[in-house]
Amino acid sequence: MLSLVYSDFSTLDTDKATIKLFQLHIPEFKGKENHLKDFLDPKETERANRFHFQKDKNTFIICRVILKFILAKYTNSSISRINIKTNSDKKPYLQGNSEVFFNLSHASDFAFLVVSTKAVGIDIEKIQKEFKYKEILSHILSPKELDKLLNSKNPRQNFYKIWTRKEAIVKATGKGIDNDFIHIPTQDGTNVVKPSWIGGIKRLEVKSFYFENGYIGALAFSSDGVNFSELSSYRIPPSIYN
């Protein structure tokens, strides 16, 4: 498991040598949506307006704009120059900057953003006690994973661990969401996979972590023999856009 070490956002530097992880507490930004939406471009505004429920629209506005502020700070640029596009694999990228990789995931009251110089993906989930996860196991788990999960001491928690790992890998690579999701390995340790499952990345690592109460996440990243058990995470303050 990956341990998160929280650091003060004011100490954030723009050193590109490490993965930058940011935690966003969405309720802290409630009521600020009208101001934040001014930082959306026309297509982002159109996307926000397509949400049926106001809560979902507000969450999109908050997460999108804060992501743009983080990318602006990371690239020493202005937010007006941050243009987020999506490639053919539906993977977001920063237009005009092929050296920056990023990803975002949100669940309930929290969101996590990650920025790196290599392929990276993140997924977080709130462990729902009422969710009937067993109904979908055969569609997302390999026979080996299914057997191990059903015989574990805490199958519900292990389900969320496996689910977030697979999602993080898919989001890091842009591959596997259709036909290969069930084959993407999630076991601890070294796994041998087909290059096509992970977008041809030679070395991909995935680490799980817990945060707050009842939340679990997974971080997938392209690595070159780099191994770590701790990662600094910055809590994003509401004053970030001031």
Side-chain angles (χ1 to χ4, degrees):
M1 298 295 291
L2 179 65
S3 296
L4 301 185
V5 179
Y6 288 95
S7 302
D8 192 313
F9 189 80
S10 64
T11 66
L12 175 67
D13 58 44
T14 56
D15 176 21
K16 306 297 191 298
T18 59
I19 295 174
K20 305 292 187 183
L21 192 63
F22 305 90
Q23 180 176 317
L24 172 65
H25 188 218
I26 297 173
E28 292 184 27
F29 294 82
K30 294 296 185 182
K32 299 178 173 64
E33 296 86 355
N34 285 335
H35 175 66
L36 292 175
K37 69 181 182 181
D38 291 338
F39 296 99
L40 298 176
D41 64 30
K43 288 188 176 180
E44 291 169 333
T45 299
E46 180 183 348
R47 180 178 172 183
N49 290 333
R50 288 200 299 266
F51 284 96
H52 181 72
F53 296 106
Q54 187 65 41
K55 179 180 179 181
D56 296 330
K57 177 181 178 179
N58 289 343
T59 297
F60 170 78
I61 292 172
I62 293 169
C63 291
R64 187 68 164 201
V65 173
I66 298 306
L67 171 62
K68 294 176 74 170
F69 270 103
I70 291 295
L71 290 175
K73 187 174 183 63
Y74 186 81
T75 59
N76 292 314
S77 181
S78 64
I79 191 171
S80 62
R81 302 186 66 180
I82 299 299
N83 193 357
I84 300 173
K85 298 291 186 179
T86 305
N87 64 19
S88 59
D89 292 317
K90 298 181 179 180
K91 183 173 173 60
Y93 68 94
L94 184 58
Q95 186 178 45
N97 195 326
S98 60
E99 298 180 351
V100 175
F101 297 81
F102 61 92
N103 203 228
L104 181 150
S105 178
H106 70 82
S108 190
D109 287 342
F110 291 94
F112 265 86
L113 295 69
V114 60
V115 187
S116 178
T117 56
K118 297 182 180 180
V120 66
I122 193 167
D123 188 63
I124 64 170
E125 298 287 344
K126 185 176 183 180
I127 299 176
Q128 304 283 354
K129 294 182 179 179
E130 68 278 5
F131 179 60
K132 298 179 180 179
Y133 68 93
K134 292 183 179 180
E135 296 179 358
I136 64 172
L137 292 181
S138 61
H139 301 290
I140 64 173
L141 302 185
S142 66
K144 184 177 180 180
E145 289 172 331
L146 180 59
D147 180 69
K148 185 173 182 179
L149 181 141
L150 293 177
N151 288 285
S152 65
K153 293 182 179 180
N154 194 332
R156 180 176 297 276
Q157 183 171 300
N158 284 327
F159 161 75
Y160 278 98
K161 179 181 179 181
I162 292 172
W163 176 263
T164 52
R165 281 178 170 236
K166 285 179 181 276
E167 284 285 343
I169 292 172
V170 167
K171 293 172 74 175
T173 64
K175 304 294 181 181
I177 192 64
D178 296 320
N179 301 321
D180 301 323
F181 194 80
I182 193 172
H183 301 297
I184 295 174
T186 60
Q187 304 296 321
D188 290 325
T190 301
N191 297 281
V192 178
V193 301
K194 293 182 179 180
S196 60
W197 293 352
I198 55 174
I201 297 175
K202 293 182 179 180
R203 184 181 176 91
L204 185 72
E205 293 192 27
V206 59
K207 293 180 180 290
S208 297
F209 60 92
Y210 293 102
F211 66 99
E212 301 303 326
N213 183 25
Y215 287 83
I216 187 172
L219 177 68
F221 55 97
S222 173
S223 67
D224 186 17
V226 177
N227 188 31
F228 55 85
S229 59
E230 294 184 346
L231 183 63
S232 291
S233 180
Y234 299 89
R235 290 189 174 95
I236 301 174
S239 59
I240 184 174
Y241 61 88
N242 291 336

